[in-house]
Amino acid sequence: MTLYTAMPLEIVLNGMDDEREPYQELWIQGVHMQVEPIAPGMAKVVRLLQCSLNDYLNPQYAPGAVIQYGLPPQE
């Protein structure tokens, strides 16, 4: 890999070796997704694994979106 930057390499690569919490897979409303936990009951969407094509257009499931899980459905 070639990286062209004027910034010091220590700043660019800072945090690259930090341990991350492993990703989890969830089913939410018929959408199978991979998420990164950020707090109890909250996660950030990493990618969709199994869903309909229209779910890719839903901003609620976009990568980086924060979702809540493990809560009872809202009426």
Side-chain angles (χ1 to χ4, degrees), residues 3-69:
L3 181 65
Y4 297 100
T5 180
M7 295 177 65
L9 192 58
E10 295 81 22
I11 294 174
V12 174
L13 300 178
N14 186 20
M16 190 170 182
D17 295 330
D18 292 347
E19 295 274 335
R20 290 188 178 185
E21 194 167 335
Y23 295 138
Q24 295 178 351
E25 294 183 8
L26 298 175
W27 281 94
I28 298 179
Q29 299 176 347
V31 178
H32 188 203
M33 61 182 72
Q34 186 177 42
V35 298
E36 178 181 6
I38 55 175
M42 294 182 68
K44 185 172 20 170
V45 176
V46 175
R47 63 181 175 160
L48 302 181
L49 300 174
Q50 184 177 357
C51 62
S52 70
L53 295 177
N54 289 332
D55 290 327
Y56 286 103
L57 301 175
N58 188 343
Q60 180 180 353
Y61 303 136
V66 176
I67 58 167
Q68 293 184 353
Y69 62 95

Short mmCIF file of all heavy atoms in Angstrom, two decimals, residues 3-69:
data_model
loop_
_atom_site.label_atom_id
_atom_site.label_comp_id
_atom_site.label_asym_id
_atom_site.label_seq_id
_atom_site.Cartn_x
_atom_site.Cartn_y
_atom_site.Cartn_z
N LEU A 3 0.90 5.31 0.49
CA LEU A 3 0.12 6.38 1.10
C LEU A 3 0.89 7.68 0.97
O LEU A 3 1.98 7.82 1.52
CB LEU A 3 -0.13 6.06 2.59
CG LEU A 3 -0.94 7.06 3.37
CD1 LEU A 3 -2.36 7.13 2.84
CD2 LEU A 3 -0.96 6.67 4.83
N TYR A 4 0.32 8.62 0.20
CA TYR A 4 0.96 9.91 0.01
C TYR A 4 0.27 10.93 0.91
O TYR A 4 -0.93 11.18 0.77
CB TYR A 4 0.83 10.36 -1.45
CG TYR A 4 1.53 9.45 -2.42
CD1 TYR A 4 0.83 8.50 -3.14
CD2 TYR A 4 2.91 9.54 -2.59
CE1 TYR A 4 1.47 7.66 -4.03
CE2 TYR A 4 3.57 8.71 -3.47
CZ TYR A 4 2.84 7.77 -4.19
OH TYR A 4 3.48 6.95 -5.06
N THR A 5 1.00 11.48 1.86
CA THR A 5 0.44 12.46 2.77
C THR A 5 1.54 13.36 3.32
O THR A 5 2.68 12.94 3.45
CB THR A 5 -0.32 11.79 3.92
OG1 THR A 5 -0.84 12.79 4.78
CG2 THR A 5 0.57 10.86 4.72
N ALA A 6 1.15 14.59 3.64
CA ALA A 6 2.09 15.53 4.26
C ALA A 6 2.06 15.41 5.78
O ALA A 6 2.91 15.97 6.47
CB ALA A 6 1.74 16.95 3.85
N MET A 7 1.08 14.67 6.29
CA MET A 7 0.96 14.49 7.74
C MET A 7 1.96 13.43 8.22
O MET A 7 2.29 12.51 7.48
CB MET A 7 -0.45 14.05 8.10
CG MET A 7 -1.51 15.09 7.79
SD MET A 7 -3.17 14.52 8.14
CE MET A 7 -3.08 14.30 9.90
N PRO A 8 2.41 13.54 9.46
CA PRO A 8 3.30 12.52 10.01
C PRO A 8 2.60 11.15 10.05
O PRO A 8 1.40 11.06 10.33
CB PRO A 8 3.62 13.00 11.42
CG PRO A 8 3.30 14.45 11.42
CD PRO A 8 2.22 14.64 10.42
N LEU A 9 3.33 10.11 9.77
CA LEU A 9 2.78 8.76 9.71
C LEU A 9 2.17 8.34 11.04
O LEU A 9 1.17 7.62 11.07
CB LEU A 9 3.89 7.78 9.31
CG LEU A 9 3.45 6.38 8.92
CD1 LEU A 9 2.46 6.42 7.76
CD2 LEU A 9 4.65 5.52 8.57
N GLU A 10 2.72 8.80 12.16
CA GLU A 10 2.18 8.45 13.47
C GLU A 10 0.74 8.96 13.64
O GLU A 10 -0.09 8.30 14.24
CB GLU A 10 3.05 9.02 14.60
CG GLU A 10 4.44 8.43 14.67
CD GLU A 10 5.40 9.08 13.67
OE1 GLU A 10 5.17 10.22 13.22
OE2 GLU A 10 6.39 8.41 13.32
N ILE A 11 0.45 10.13 13.10
CA ILE A 11 -0.90 10.69 13.20
C ILE A 11 -1.86 9.95 12.28
O ILE A 11 -2.99 9.64 12.65
CB ILE A 11 -0.89 12.20 12.88
CG1 ILE A 11 -0.10 12.95 13.95
CG2 ILE A 11 -2.31 12.74 12.76
CD1 ILE A 11 0.08 14.42 13.65
N VAL A 12 -1.41 9.65 11.08
CA VAL A 12 -2.27 8.97 10.10
C VAL A 12 -2.66 7.58 10.59
O VAL A 12 -3.81 7.17 10.48
CB VAL A 12 -1.57 8.88 8.73
CG1 VAL A 12 -2.38 8.06 7.76
CG2 VAL A 12 -1.33 10.28 8.17
N LEU A 13 -1.72 6.85 11.16
CA LEU A 13 -1.97 5.48 11.56
C LEU A 13 -2.35 5.35 13.03
O LEU A 13 -2.46 4.23 13.53
CB LEU A 13 -0.73 4.62 11.27
CG LEU A 13 -0.30 4.57 9.80
CD1 LEU A 13 0.96 3.74 9.64
CD2 LEU A 13 -1.41 4.05 8.92
N ASN A 14 -2.59 6.46 13.72
CA ASN A 14 -2.97 6.43 15.12
C ASN A 14 -4.28 5.67 15.32
O ASN A 14 -5.28 5.97 14.68
CB ASN A 14 -3.10 7.85 15.66
CG ASN A 14 -3.35 7.88 17.14
OD1 ASN A 14 -3.06 6.91 17.84
ND2 ASN A 14 -3.86 8.98 17.62
N GLY A 15 -4.27 4.68 16.19
CA GLY A 15 -5.47 3.91 16.49
C GLY A 15 -5.71 2.74 15.57
O GLY A 15 -6.69 2.01 15.74
N MET A 16 -4.86 2.53 14.60
CA MET A 16 -5.07 1.44 13.64
C MET A 16 -4.95 0.07 14.32
O MET A 16 -5.63 -0.88 13.93
CB MET A 16 -4.07 1.55 12.50
CG MET A 16 -4.32 0.63 11.36
SD MET A 16 -3.25 1.07 9.99
CE MET A 16 -3.78 -0.10 8.79
N ASP A 17 -4.12 -0.04 15.34
CA ASP A 17 -3.91 -1.32 16.00
C ASP A 17 -4.79 -1.52 17.23
O ASP A 17 -4.68 -2.53 17.90
CB ASP A 17 -2.44 -1.46 16.43
CG ASP A 17 -1.50 -1.51 15.24
OD1 ASP A 17 -1.92 -2.01 14.18
OD2 ASP A 17 -0.35 -1.06 15.37
N ASP A 18 -5.66 -0.55 17.53
CA ASP A 18 -6.53 -0.68 18.70
C ASP A 18 -7.51 -1.83 18.53
O ASP A 18 -8.00 -2.09 17.43
CB ASP A 18 -7.31 0.61 18.93
CG ASP A 18 -6.43 1.76 19.36
OD1 ASP A 18 -5.26 1.51 19.71
OD2 ASP A 18 -6.90 2.91 19.34
N GLU A 19 -7.78 -2.49 19.64
CA GLU A 19 -8.75 -3.59 19.63
C GLU A 19 -10.14 -3.01 19.47
O GLU A 19 -10.51 -2.06 20.14
CB GLU A 19 -8.67 -4.37 20.95
CG GLU A 19 -7.36 -5.09 21.16
CD GLU A 19 -7.36 -6.46 20.52
OE1 GLU A 19 -8.43 -7.04 20.33
OE2 GLU A 19 -6.26 -6.93 20.20
N ARG A 20 -10.92 -3.60 18.59
CA ARG A 20 -12.31 -3.20 18.42
C ARG A 20 -13.20 -4.31 18.92
O ARG A 20 -12.85 -5.48 18.87
CB ARG A 20 -12.62 -2.94 16.95
CG ARG A 20 -11.96 -1.72 16.39
CD ARG A 20 -12.47 -1.43 15.02
NE ARG A 20 -11.86 -0.22 14.49
CZ ARG A 20 -12.18 0.33 13.36
NH1 ARG A 20 -13.10 -0.23 12.61
NH2 ARG A 20 -11.59 1.42 12.96
N GLU A 21 -14.37 -3.90 19.38
CA GLU A 21 -15.35 -4.89 19.79
C GLU A 21 -15.82 -5.63 18.54
O GLU A 21 -16.05 -5.01 17.50
CB GLU A 21 -16.53 -4.19 20.47
CG GLU A 21 -17.41 -5.14 21.22
CD GLU A 21 -18.37 -4.41 22.13
OE1 GLU A 21 -18.09 -3.28 22.54
OE2 GLU A 21 -19.42 -5.01 22.42
N PRO A 22 -15.95 -6.95 18.62
CA PRO A 22 -16.34 -7.69 17.42
C PRO A 22 -17.74 -7.30 16.94
O PRO A 22 -18.60 -6.92 17.73
CB PRO A 22 -16.30 -9.15 17.87
CG PRO A 22 -16.36 -9.12 19.34
CD PRO A 22 -15.79 -7.80 19.78
N TYR A 23 -17.91 -7.39 15.63
CA TYR A 23 -19.21 -7.09 15.04
C TYR A 23 -20.22 -8.15 15.44
O TYR A 23 -19.87 -9.29 15.73
CB TYR A 23 -19.11 -7.04 13.52
CG TYR A 23 -18.25 -5.92 13.00
CD1 TYR A 23 -17.37 -6.12 11.95
CD2 TYR A 23 -18.31 -4.64 13.53
CE1 TYR A 23 -16.59 -5.11 11.45
CE2 TYR A 23 -17.53 -3.61 13.04
CZ TYR A 23 -16.68 -3.85 12.00
OH TYR A 23 -15.90 -2.83 11.51
N GLN A 24 -21.48 -7.76 15.45
CA GLN A 24 -22.57 -8.69 15.73
C GLN A 24 -23.51 -8.70 14.54
O GLN A 24 -23.56 -7.74 13.77
CB GLN A 24 -23.35 -8.26 16.97
CG GLN A 24 -22.56 -8.30 18.24
CD GLN A 24 -23.39 -7.82 19.44
OE1 GLN A 24 -24.48 -7.31 19.28
NE2 GLN A 24 -22.85 -7.99 20.62
N GLU A 25 -24.26 -9.79 14.40
CA GLU A 25 -25.26 -9.88 13.35
C GLU A 25 -26.63 -9.87 13.99
O GLU A 25 -26.87 -10.57 14.97
CB GLU A 25 -25.05 -11.14 12.52
CG GLU A 25 -23.76 -11.10 11.73
CD GLU A 25 -23.57 -12.32 10.84
OE1 GLU A 25 -24.51 -13.13 10.71
OE2 GLU A 25 -22.48 -12.46 10.29
N LEU A 26 -27.53 -9.05 13.45
CA LEU A 26 -28.87 -8.90 13.99
C LEU A 26 -29.91 -9.03 12.89
O LEU A 26 -29.65 -8.71 11.73
CB LEU A 26 -29.05 -7.51 14.61
CG LEU A 26 -28.19 -7.11 15.78
CD1 LEU A 26 -28.47 -5.67 16.14
CD2 LEU A 26 -28.47 -8.00 16.96
N TRP A 27 -31.09 -9.49 13.27
CA TRP A 27 -32.27 -9.45 12.41
C TRP A 27 -33.17 -8.37 12.99
O TRP A 27 -33.60 -8.46 14.14
CB TRP A 27 -33.01 -10.78 12.42
CG TRP A 27 -32.39 -11.81 11.56
CD1 TRP A 27 -31.50 -12.77 11.94
CD2 TRP A 27 -32.62 -12.01 10.16
NE1 TRP A 27 -31.16 -13.55 10.88
CE2 TRP A 27 -31.83 -13.10 9.76
CE3 TRP A 27 -33.41 -11.37 9.22
CZ2 TRP A 27 -31.81 -13.57 8.46
CZ3 TRP A 27 -33.37 -11.85 7.92
CH2 TRP A 27 -32.58 -12.93 7.55
N ILE A 28 -33.47 -7.33 12.22
CA ILE A 28 -34.37 -6.27 12.66
C ILE A 28 -35.38 -6.03 11.54
O ILE A 28 -34.99 -5.66 10.42
CB ILE A 28 -33.61 -4.97 12.98
CG1 ILE A 28 -32.65 -5.22 14.14
CG2 ILE A 28 -34.56 -3.84 13.29
CD1 ILE A 28 -31.82 -4.04 14.54
N GLN A 29 -36.64 -6.26 11.84
CA GLN A 29 -37.74 -6.07 10.89
C GLN A 29 -37.47 -6.77 9.57
O GLN A 29 -37.65 -6.21 8.49
CB GLN A 29 -38.01 -4.58 10.67
CG GLN A 29 -38.43 -3.86 11.93
CD GLN A 29 -38.61 -2.38 11.73
OE1 GLN A 29 -38.21 -1.82 10.72
NE2 GLN A 29 -39.21 -1.73 12.70
N GLY A 30 -36.98 -8.01 9.63
CA GLY A 30 -36.74 -8.80 8.42
C GLY A 30 -35.46 -8.46 7.69
O GLY A 30 -35.23 -8.95 6.58
N VAL A 31 -34.61 -7.63 8.27
CA VAL A 31 -33.34 -7.24 7.65
C VAL A 31 -32.21 -7.83 8.47
O VAL A 31 -32.09 -7.57 9.66
CB VAL A 31 -33.21 -5.70 7.57
CG1 VAL A 31 -31.87 -5.31 6.98
CG2 VAL A 31 -34.35 -5.11 6.78
N HIS A 32 -31.36 -8.63 7.83
CA HIS A 32 -30.19 -9.22 8.48
C HIS A 32 -29.02 -8.28 8.24
O HIS A 32 -28.66 -7.99 7.09
CB HIS A 32 -29.91 -10.60 7.88
CG HIS A 32 -28.88 -11.37 8.60
ND1 HIS A 32 -28.17 -12.38 8.02
CD2 HIS A 32 -28.41 -11.30 9.88
CE1 HIS A 32 -27.32 -12.89 8.89
NE2 HIS A 32 -27.45 -12.24 10.02
N MET A 33 -28.45 -7.76 9.33
CA MET A 33 -27.38 -6.77 9.20
C MET A 33 -26.22 -7.05 10.14
O MET A 33 -26.38 -7.75 11.14
CB MET A 33 -27.93 -5.36 9.45
CG MET A 33 -28.50 -5.15 10.83
SD MET A 33 -29.17 -3.50 11.07
CE MET A 33 -30.64 -3.58 10.09
N GLN A 34 -25.09 -6.51 9.79
CA GLN A 34 -23.90 -6.58 10.64
C GLN A 34 -23.77 -5.23 11.31
O GLN A 34 -23.83 -4.18 10.63
CB GLN A 34 -22.67 -6.89 9.80
CG GLN A 34 -21.42 -7.13 10.60
CD GLN A 34 -20.25 -7.49 9.70
OE1 GLN A 34 -20.06 -6.90 8.65
NE2 GLN A 34 -19.49 -8.46 10.13
N VAL A 35 -23.62 -5.23 12.64
CA VAL A 35 -23.56 -3.98 13.39
C VAL A 35 -22.35 -3.97 14.32
O VAL A 35 -21.81 -5.01 14.67
CB VAL A 35 -24.85 -3.76 14.22
CG1 VAL A 35 -26.07 -3.65 13.32
CG2 VAL A 35 -25.06 -4.85 15.24
N GLU A 36 -21.97 -2.76 14.70
CA GLU A 36 -20.89 -2.56 15.67
C GLU A 36 -21.52 -1.98 16.93
O GLU A 36 -22.06 -0.88 16.90
CB GLU A 36 -19.86 -1.59 15.10
CG GLU A 36 -18.73 -1.28 16.03
CD GLU A 36 -17.75 -0.28 15.42
OE1 GLU A 36 -18.01 0.26 14.34
OE2 GLU A 36 -16.73 -0.04 16.07
N PRO A 37 -21.51 -2.73 18.05
CA PRO A 37 -22.11 -2.21 19.28
C PRO A 37 -21.40 -0.94 19.75
O PRO A 37 -20.18 -0.86 19.74
CB PRO A 37 -21.93 -3.34 20.29
CG PRO A 37 -21.60 -4.55 19.49
CD PRO A 37 -20.97 -4.08 18.23
N ILE A 38 -22.20 0.06 20.17
CA ILE A 38 -21.61 1.30 20.69
C ILE A 38 -22.07 1.56 22.12
O ILE A 38 -21.41 2.32 22.83
CB ILE A 38 -21.94 2.51 19.79
CG1 ILE A 38 -23.43 2.66 19.58
CG2 ILE A 38 -21.22 2.40 18.46
CD1 ILE A 38 -23.83 3.89 18.80
N ALA A 39 -23.17 0.96 22.53
CA ALA A 39 -23.69 1.08 23.90
C ALA A 39 -24.69 -0.05 24.08
O ALA A 39 -25.12 -0.65 23.10
CB ALA A 39 -24.35 2.44 24.10
N PRO A 40 -25.06 -0.37 25.32
CA PRO A 40 -26.06 -1.42 25.51
C PRO A 40 -27.37 -1.06 24.80
O PRO A 40 -27.94 0.01 25.04
CB PRO A 40 -26.26 -1.48 27.02
CG PRO A 40 -24.98 -0.94 27.59
CD PRO A 40 -24.53 0.10 26.60
N GLY A 41 -27.80 -1.92 23.88
CA GLY A 41 -29.03 -1.70 23.14
C GLY A 41 -28.91 -0.76 21.96
O GLY A 41 -29.89 -0.49 21.28
N MET A 42 -27.69 -0.29 21.67
CA MET A 42 -27.47 0.60 20.53
C MET A 42 -26.30 0.08 19.71
O MET A 42 -25.33 -0.44 20.26
CB MET A 42 -27.19 2.03 20.99
CG MET A 42 -28.34 2.70 21.68
SD MET A 42 -27.94 4.38 22.14
CE MET A 42 -27.81 5.15 20.56
N ALA A 43 -26.41 0.25 18.40
CA ALA A 43 -25.35 -0.22 17.52
C ALA A 43 -25.31 0.65 16.27
O ALA A 43 -26.28 1.30 15.91
CB ALA A 43 -25.58 -1.67 17.14
N LYS A 44 -24.15 0.63 15.61
CA LYS A 44 -23.97 1.34 14.36
C LYS A 44 -23.99 0.32 13.23
O LYS A 44 -23.30 -0.70 13.29
CB LYS A 44 -22.64 2.09 14.37
CG LYS A 44 -22.43 2.94 13.16
CD LYS A 44 -21.22 3.87 13.19
CE LYS A 44 -20.15 3.52 14.17
NZ LYS A 44 -18.94 4.31 14.00
N VAL A 45 -24.76 0.57 12.19
CA VAL A 45 -24.87 -0.36 11.06
C VAL A 45 -23.55 -0.37 10.29
O VAL A 45 -23.02 0.69 9.94
CB VAL A 45 -26.03 0.06 10.12
CG1 VAL A 45 -26.08 -0.85 8.91
CG2 VAL A 45 -27.35 0.04 10.87
N VAL A 46 -23.03 -1.57 10.04
CA VAL A 46 -21.82 -1.72 9.24
C VAL A 46 -22.21 -2.06 7.81
O VAL A 46 -21.75 -1.43 6.86
CB VAL A 46 -20.90 -2.81 9.82
CG1 VAL A 46 -19.70 -3.04 8.93
CG2 VAL A 46 -20.46 -2.43 11.22
N ARG A 47 -23.05 -3.09 7.64
CA ARG A 47 -23.51 -3.47 6.31
C ARG A 47 -24.74 -4.34 6.42
O ARG A 47 -25.01 -4.94 7.46
CB ARG A 47 -22.42 -4.20 5.53
CG ARG A 47 -21.99 -5.51 6.15
CD ARG A 47 -20.90 -6.16 5.33
NE ARG A 47 -20.43 -7.36 6.00
CZ ARG A 47 -19.78 -8.32 5.41
NH1 ARG A 47 -19.51 -8.23 4.12
NH2 ARG A 47 -19.39 -9.36 6.08
N LEU A 48 -25.49 -4.40 5.33
CA LEU A 48 -26.66 -5.26 5.25
C LEU A 48 -26.24 -6.58 4.66
O LEU A 48 -25.52 -6.63 3.66
CB LEU A 48 -27.75 -4.60 4.40
CG LEU A 48 -28.23 -3.23 4.87
CD1 LEU A 48 -29.32 -2.71 3.94
CD2 LEU A 48 -28.73 -3.29 6.29
N LEU A 49 -26.68 -7.67 5.26
CA LEU A 49 -26.29 -8.99 4.81
C LEU A 49 -27.37 -9.68 3.98
O LEU A 49 -27.07 -10.34 2.99
CB LEU A 49 -25.92 -9.87 6.01
CG LEU A 49 -24.77 -9.36 6.87
CD1 LEU A 49 -24.60 -10.22 8.10
CD2 LEU A 49 -23.49 -9.33 6.06
N GLN A 50 -28.63 -9.55 4.42
CA GLN A 50 -29.72 -10.20 3.70
C GLN A 50 -30.96 -9.34 3.85
O GLN A 50 -31.45 -9.13 4.97
CB GLN A 50 -29.97 -11.59 4.26
CG GLN A 50 -31.03 -12.37 3.52
CD GLN A 50 -31.19 -13.77 4.08
OE1 GLN A 50 -30.48 -14.17 4.99
NE2 GLN A 50 -32.12 -14.49 3.54
N CYS A 51 -31.46 -8.82 2.73
CA CYS A 51 -32.63 -7.96 2.77
C CYS A 51 -33.17 -7.80 1.36
O CYS A 51 -32.56 -8.25 0.39
CB CYS A 51 -32.28 -6.59 3.36
SG CYS A 51 -31.06 -5.69 2.41
N SER A 52 -34.30 -7.12 1.25
CA SER A 52 -34.83 -6.83 -0.07
C SER A 52 -34.06 -5.64 -0.65
O SER A 52 -33.40 -4.89 0.07
CB SER A 52 -36.32 -6.52 0.00
OG SER A 52 -36.53 -5.29 0.63
N LEU A 53 -34.18 -5.45 -1.96
CA LEU A 53 -33.44 -4.35 -2.60
C LEU A 53 -33.91 -2.98 -2.11
O LEU A 53 -33.12 -2.04 -2.03
CB LEU A 53 -33.57 -4.46 -4.12
CG LEU A 53 -32.93 -5.70 -4.73
CD1 LEU A 53 -33.20 -5.74 -6.22
CD2 LEU A 53 -31.45 -5.74 -4.45
N ASN A 54 -35.18 -2.86 -1.77
CA ASN A 54 -35.69 -1.57 -1.29
C ASN A 54 -35.09 -1.19 0.06
O ASN A 54 -35.01 0.00 0.38
CB ASN A 54 -37.21 -1.61 -1.18
CG ASN A 54 -37.86 -1.61 -2.54
OD1 ASN A 54 -37.29 -1.09 -3.50
ND2 ASN A 54 -39.04 -2.20 -2.64
N ASP A 55 -34.66 -2.17 0.86
CA ASP A 55 -34.06 -1.86 2.16
C ASP A 55 -32.74 -1.11 2.02
O ASP A 55 -32.34 -0.38 2.91
CB ASP A 55 -33.87 -3.13 2.98
CG ASP A 55 -35.19 -3.72 3.44
OD1 ASP A 55 -36.13 -2.93 3.69
OD2 ASP A 55 -35.28 -4.95 3.54
N TYR A 56 -32.05 -1.29 0.89
CA TYR A 56 -30.80 -0.56 0.66
C TYR A 56 -31.05 0.94 0.52
O TYR A 56 -30.15 1.75 0.75
CB TYR A 56 -30.07 -1.08 -0.58
CG TYR A 56 -29.41 -2.42 -0.37
CD1 TYR A 56 -29.99 -3.59 -0.86
CD2 TYR A 56 -28.21 -2.52 0.32
CE1 TYR A 56 -29.40 -4.81 -0.66
CE2 TYR A 56 -27.61 -3.74 0.52
CZ TYR A 56 -28.20 -4.88 0.03
OH TYR A 56 -27.62 -6.10 0.24
N LEU A 57 -32.26 1.32 0.13
CA LEU A 57 -32.61 2.73 -0.04
C LEU A 57 -33.13 3.36 1.24
O LEU A 57 -33.32 4.57 1.30
CB LEU A 57 -33.65 2.88 -1.15
CG LEU A 57 -33.22 2.36 -2.53
CD1 LEU A 57 -34.39 2.46 -3.49
CD2 LEU A 57 -32.03 3.13 -3.04
N ASN A 58 -33.36 2.57 2.26
CA ASN A 58 -33.88 3.06 3.53
C ASN A 58 -32.75 3.71 4.33
O ASN A 58 -31.80 3.03 4.73
CB ASN A 58 -34.50 1.91 4.32
CG ASN A 58 -35.24 2.35 5.55
OD1 ASN A 58 -35.06 3.47 6.02
ND2 ASN A 58 -36.05 1.47 6.10
N PRO A 59 -32.81 5.02 4.60
CA PRO A 59 -31.72 5.68 5.34
C PRO A 59 -31.57 5.16 6.77
O PRO A 59 -30.51 5.32 7.37
CB PRO A 59 -32.10 7.15 5.32
CG PRO A 59 -33.54 7.21 4.96
CD PRO A 59 -33.87 5.94 4.22
N GLN A 60 -32.60 4.51 7.30
CA GLN A 60 -32.53 3.95 8.64
C GLN A 60 -31.50 2.81 8.71
O GLN A 60 -30.93 2.56 9.76
CB GLN A 60 -33.91 3.43 9.03
CG GLN A 60 -34.00 2.82 10.40
CD GLN A 60 -35.41 2.32 10.71
OE1 GLN A 60 -36.34 2.55 9.94
NE2 GLN A 60 -35.55 1.64 11.81
N TYR A 61 -31.26 2.15 7.58
CA TYR A 61 -30.32 1.02 7.53
C TYR A 61 -29.02 1.36 6.81
O TYR A 61 -28.25 0.48 6.47
CB TYR A 61 -30.97 -0.18 6.85
CG TYR A 61 -32.25 -0.64 7.49
CD1 TYR A 61 -33.35 -0.96 6.73
CD2 TYR A 61 -32.36 -0.74 8.87
CE1 TYR A 61 -34.53 -1.39 7.32
CE2 TYR A 61 -33.54 -1.16 9.47
CZ TYR A 61 -34.62 -1.48 8.69
OH TYR A 61 -35.78 -1.90 9.27
N ALA A 62 -28.76 2.63 6.56
CA ALA A 62 -27.54 3.03 5.86
C ALA A 62 -26.33 2.77 6.75
O ALA A 62 -26.41 2.88 7.98
CB ALA A 62 -27.61 4.51 5.50
N PRO A 63 -25.19 2.42 6.16
CA PRO A 63 -23.98 2.23 6.97
C PRO A 63 -23.66 3.50 7.76
O PRO A 63 -23.72 4.60 7.24
CB PRO A 63 -22.90 1.95 5.93
CG PRO A 63 -23.65 1.39 4.76
CD PRO A 63 -24.97 2.10 4.75
N GLY A 64 -23.40 3.31 9.05
CA GLY A 64 -23.11 4.43 9.94
C GLY A 64 -24.33 4.89 10.72
O GLY A 64 -24.18 5.64 11.68
N ALA A 65 -25.53 4.45 10.32
CA ALA A 65 -26.74 4.83 11.04
C ALA A 65 -26.77 4.12 12.39
O ALA A 65 -26.35 2.97 12.51
CB ALA A 65 -27.98 4.46 10.23
N VAL A 66 -27.24 4.81 13.41
CA VAL A 66 -27.33 4.25 14.75
C VAL A 66 -28.74 3.68 14.93
O VAL A 66 -29.73 4.36 14.65
CB VAL A 66 -27.03 5.31 15.82
CG1 VAL A 66 -27.22 4.74 17.21
CG2 VAL A 66 -25.61 5.83 15.65
N ILE A 67 -28.81 2.42 15.36
CA ILE A 67 -30.09 1.77 15.57
C ILE A 67 -30.19 1.29 17.01
O ILE A 67 -29.18 1.13 17.69
CB ILE A 67 -30.28 0.57 14.61
CG1 ILE A 67 -29.16 -0.45 14.81
CG2 ILE A 67 -30.35 1.02 13.17
CD1 ILE A 67 -29.41 -1.77 14.17
N GLN A 68 -31.41 1.09 17.45
CA GLN A 68 -31.66 0.52 18.78
C GLN A 68 -32.21 -0.87 18.58
O GLN A 68 -32.99 -1.11 17.66
CB GLN A 68 -32.65 1.37 19.55
CG GLN A 68 -32.13 2.72 19.92
CD GLN A 68 -33.12 3.51 20.78
OE1 GLN A 68 -34.24 3.10 20.98
NE2 GLN A 68 -32.67 4.65 21.28
N TYR A 69 -31.78 -1.79 19.43
CA TYR A 69 -32.28 -3.15 19.34
C TYR A 69 -32.52 -3.68 20.74
O TYR A 69 -32.04 -3.14 21.72
CB TYR A 69 -31.32 -4.05 18.56
CG TYR A 69 -29.95 -4.21 19.19
CD1 TYR A 69 -29.67 -5.28 20.02
CD2 TYR A 69 -28.94 -3.28 18.96
CE1 TYR A 69 -28.41 -5.42 20.59
CE2 TYR A 69 -27.69 -3.41 19.52
CZ TYR A 69 -27.44 -4.50 20.34
OH TYR A 69 -26.21 -4.63 20.91
#
